[in-house]
Amino acid sequence: MLETEALKSLYEKHCKHGFQYIYGTAGFRYKADVLDTVMFTTGVLAGLRSLYLNGQTVGVMVTASHNPPEDNGVKIVEPRGEMLEQSWEKYATELANCASQSYSSFETKLQELVVTLKVDTKKSGGIVVARDSRESGPHLVSAFKAGAQVLPTVKIIDYGILTTPQLHFLTSKTNELPEGAEIGEQLYYQELLSAWDQVTDLCGIKSLPFHLQIDAANGIGGPKVMEMLSQSDFFSGAYEVVNADWQTYAALNHLCGADFVKTNQKLPHGISSSGNQAANQISCSFDGDADRIVFYYCDAMGHFRLLDGDKMATLFAKFFQDLLHQAGLQDAIEMVAVQTAYANGSSTHHLEKVLGATVKCTSTGVKHLHHEAVKSDIGIYFEANGHGTVIFSTKFVDTVNQRLAASTQDISKSHKALQLLKLFTKLINQTVGDAISDMLAVLAVLSILNWTPQKWDQEYTDLPNRLLKVSVPDRTLFKTTNAERQLVSPAGLQQKIDVLVSKFDKARSFVRASGTEDAVRVYAEAASRAQADSLASMVGTIVENS
């Protein structure tokens, strides 16, 4: 660790006083102009985490995802590509807030962490870092690197601008592959495209059955998805990317992107309803850092039809359930779908009653869903906003490989199902929700099933719902229980919500503090669009007045 004078000099250059930080569901996320201090301390903490894990490389992503351009944030990624170990979120918050108070407070907390965690600061470690396309990114990465310098034995690799899932992927590969292996974003493209080619060859798919439009939210997903698809002859002429102006900072997530489409339930800027009415047309939207995706089309009447995270979860559940039966693994492999309270009630009913799948509900935030999903052999998790993935256990991989080895010469339906199960473990980025990887996986499933967007949509009908964002003076006052479906604070507010819900058909509503913004989110669902809108508005009003 640096000598006191050098440490103090870096601290004084990068840290400001007077701001309180919280490591939320997606790390630290605030207006960019208050992030210098927390970027510095995150550099320190990421180095400590690497040393604590005996030198394994950890990842750091500087992003604010779907938030407005003036926001930014940072999160730490575990060596296998997962979110930061939850017990360390407290350390990240404490170190940042001590630095926000004074140098002596910061130094004391740092020394305390080193002792408490028994970190050998003389060992070697590693950090890989990347950022999204926000204007504040370069400055904040500099503050982060200054913090990492506090531990000189920790080596930093800066990958520049990446999507969040690419950073998770490269973090995992850095720890998985032998030293000296060539690791970079090209490895990401090669792995996904190789899996795609093998899936399409196995299933005799020569071309996409529909034209694809990609709304890239004017974020970094635009150039990255174009870079990848340009390397594949299969996709030549089969797609177009709109809202790909990632270098105009103010355009990021503006009137476009997954959050805009999901929240407003309408087409983004740049995509018209006319082309989306055709059976051979499907569109999708990424968010700013390309870790979320939603699909959509327009029906024959020109009405917008959303295919969100719930629809993706049910699509994958049906597909993998069918493959397991074809492979004779339905009794050997456990498949679970993990949802949050935001999941549409119809999707949960379809999973449980029509598909017969096991469904678990967790608190909002992919870290909670991921933690639950890894307990199963196939864990399918998607938030309704389109953030999610599918996770396959070691037992699953071993079982599939063993069955394949025993049926090498077999050309039966069972053998093909086993091959597809294995290939989808490569096509899907299991480290985190990934708009590009999820896009390919959905396109592959629809192509294999020979489904149009309309056929996918008709599997079940969503209950109309509305999601509102209500600004409040202090979001921390809103505390929940029962996987965030019930309020325990402010006192009496849940009872008022229950009274309103009882006035509508097939209704439910809940309120929770945002994990990424200074706001409270209100979700309402009912039998008709008018009822859902009315319920959301009424609940929003009582929240505002609480």
Side-chain angles (χ1 to χ4, degrees):
M1 197 149 58
L2 288 181
E3 296 294 329
T4 301
E5 285 306 313
L7 178 61
K8 188 175 183 180
S9 176
L10 283 173
Y11 169 87
E12 289 176 345
K13 182 178 179 181
H14 295 282
C15 295
K16 301 171 185 176
H17 297 164
F19 197 87
Q20 283 290 109
Y21 301 97
I22 299 174
Y23 196 101
T25 54
F28 295 109
R29 190 173 294 178
Y30 298 96
K31 298 298 180 191
D33 58 6
V34 300
L35 283 173
D36 285 59
T37 303
V38 84
M39 295 302 304
F40 179 80
T41 59
T42 299
V44 178
L45 197 83
L48 289 176
R49 183 64 179 161
S50 175
L51 297 179
Y52 179 82
L53 295 172
N54 298 312
Q56 291 185 80
T57 298
V58 301
V60 171
M61 186 67 197
V62 179
T63 180
S65 188
H66 60 282
N67 282 38
E70 63 271 18
D71 292 359
N72 216 323
V74 62
K75 64 177 180 176
I76 299 175
V77 177
E78 293 284 84
R80 289 173 53 191
E82 298 169 336
M83 304 294 277
L84 178 65
E85 164 66 41
Q86 198 160 354
S87 63
W88 276 65
E89 293 177 8
K90 182 181 76 167
Y91 303 142
T93 299
E94 289 174 349
L95 191 61
N97 288 329
C98 285
S100 186
Q101 292 171 24
S102 66
Y103 172 73
S104 61
S105 183
F106 163 70
E107 186 184 30
T108 300
K109 174 55 67 174
L110 176 56
Q111 297 292 352
E112 179 188 308
L113 285 174
V114 170
V115 172
T116 301
L117 299 169
K118 299 177 181 176
V119 174
D120 183 351
T121 58
K122 294 185 176 63
K123 283 186 176 179
S124 297
I127 300 171
V128 291
V129 62
R131 60 182 176 89
D132 70 14
S133 58
R134 292 165 194 269
E135 186 175 16
S136 58
H139 170 74
L140 295 178
V141 169
S142 294
F144 163 79
K145 288 180 177 178
Q149 287 175 33
V150 169
L151 299 159
T153 59
V154 177
K155 179 185 175 185
I156 304 170
I157 298 175
D158 185 351
Y159 280 112
I161 303 181
L162 293 178
T163 70
T164 289
Q166 286 179 319
L167 185 277
H168 282 253
F169 176 90
L170 294 178
T171 303
S172 177
K173 290 298 181 184
T174 301
N175 292 288
E176 176 188 326
L177 298 177
E179 192 171 345
E182 194 170 327
I183 299 172
E185 61 182 291
Q186 190 56 38
L187 179 65
Y188 170 88
Y189 301 137
Q190 288 170 351
E191 184 154 313
L192 292 184
L193 288 176
S194 173
W196 173 268
D197 289 342
Q198 291 177 75
V199 167
T200 52
D201 285 348
L202 179 64
C203 297
I205 300 166
K206 303 299 182 185
S207 62
L208 276 185
F210 25 67
H211 184 71
L212 172 68
Q213 283 184 305
I214 303 168
D215 158 29
N218 294 316
I220 194 56
K224 299 305 184 184
V225 74
M226 287 190 281
E227 170 66 20
M228 185 185 78
L229 296 183
S230 69
Q231 298 178 26
S232 170
D233 292 337
F234 185 99
F235 286 95
S236 179
Y239 71 97
E240 63 176 313
V241 180
V242 301
N243 299 320
D245 186 11
W246 64 277
Q247 292 172 305
T248 299
Y249 303 122
L252 180 67
N253 295 317
H254 181 61
L255 301 179
C256 60
D259 191 60
F260 173 86
V261 170
K262 171 64 178 172
T263 302
N264 295 284
Q265 300 194 23
K266 67 179 183 180
L267 295 171
H269 174 75
I271 291 184
S272 69
S273 60
S274 55
N276 276 276
Q277 290 175 244
N280 64 341
Q281 174 78 41
I282 192 168
S283 300
C284 63
S285 287
F286 297 173
D287 66 339
D289 65 336
D291 64 359
R292 295 185 187 184
I293 184 172
V294 294
F295 288 82
Y296 43 90
Y297 70 100
C298 290
D299 64 21
M301 302 296 292
H303 298 142
F304 171 83
R305 301 292 300 173
L306 180 66
L307 300 160
D308 60 7
D310 296 339
K311 290 284 187 178
M312 284 187 277
T314 55
L315 178 70
F316 286 128
K318 173 180 173 48
F319 180 68
F320 288 118
Q321 186 182 67
D322 288 351
L323 288 182
L324 290 174
H325 277 88
Q326 292 166 23
L329 291 176
Q330 66 271 24
D331 296 325
I333 296 297
E334 178 194 32
M335 184 181 77
V336 169
V338 187
Q339 296 185 314
T340 72
Y342 286 112
N344 193 277
S346 289
S347 73
T348 308
H349 179 271
H350 184 77
L351 285 164
E352 292 181 327
K353 305 303 181 185
V354 179
L355 298 181
T358 300
V359 178
K360 302 284 181 68
C361 185
T362 73
S363 298
T364 306
V366 289
K367 66 182 181 184
H368 301 298
L369 289 103
H370 193 98
H371 181 71
E372 186 64 40
V374 297
K375 298 175 183 177
S376 305
D377 297 323
I378 301 179
I380 301 169
Y381 75 82
F382 279 88
E383 293 186 298
N385 62 27
H387 197 173
T389 188
V390 183
I391 301 174
F392 305 92
S393 70
T394 301
K395 174 194 167 186
F396 170 87
V397 174
D398 291 345
T399 302
V400 169
N401 284 336
Q402 288 165 11
R403 294 289 181 96
L404 279 170
S407 62
T408 308
Q409 304 303 318
D410 194 344
I411 57 171
S412 67
K413 199 172 186 180
S414 170
H415 186 75
K416 182 179 177 181
L418 288 167
Q419 288 178 296
L420 279 174
L421 287 168
K422 182 174 182 178
L423 287 172
F424 267 83
T425 67
K426 300 295 185 184
L427 186 61
I428 293 174
N429 183 352
Q430 298 177 54
T431 63
V432 72
D434 182 343
I436 295 175
S437 169
D438 288 342
M439 180 189 76
L440 291 179
V442 165
L443 294 175
V445 172
L446 292 177
S447 298
I448 292 166
L449 296 177
N450 197 27
W451 279 13
T452 62
Q454 290 82 350
K455 166 61 178 168
W456 177 15
D457 192 22
Q458 289 163 7
E459 285 295 284
Y460 70 87
T461 301
D462 274 332
L463 285 169
N465 57 88
R466 179 63 68 201
L467 179 63
L468 300 180
K469 185 168 68 176
V470 181
S471 296
V472 293
D474 185 1
R475 60 176 164 162
T476 63
L477 295 177
F478 293 79
K479 302 186 186 304
T480 60
T481 187
N482 188 21
E484 299 184 320
R485 288 175 285 193
Q486 290 177 295
L487 278 173
V488 294
S489 172
L493 186 53
Q494 183 61 54
Q495 288 76 12
K496 293 178 182 178
I497 294 172
D498 292 341
V499 170
L500 291 176
V501 167
S502 68
K503 297 177 179 179
F504 297 90
D505 301 324
K506 296 182 180 178
R508 66 188 181 99
S509 181
F510 63 89
V511 171
R512 58 171 282 272
S514 170
T516 58
E517 299 175 78
D518 292 322
V520 166
R521 300 193 186 277
V522 173
Y523 179 86
E525 188 176 277
S528 71
R529 163 60 55 207
Q531 289 190 54
D533 289 348
S534 294
L535 178 56
S537 178
M538 291 177 181
V539 173
T541 298
I542 63 172
V543 166
E544 220 168 2
N545 297 329
S546 63

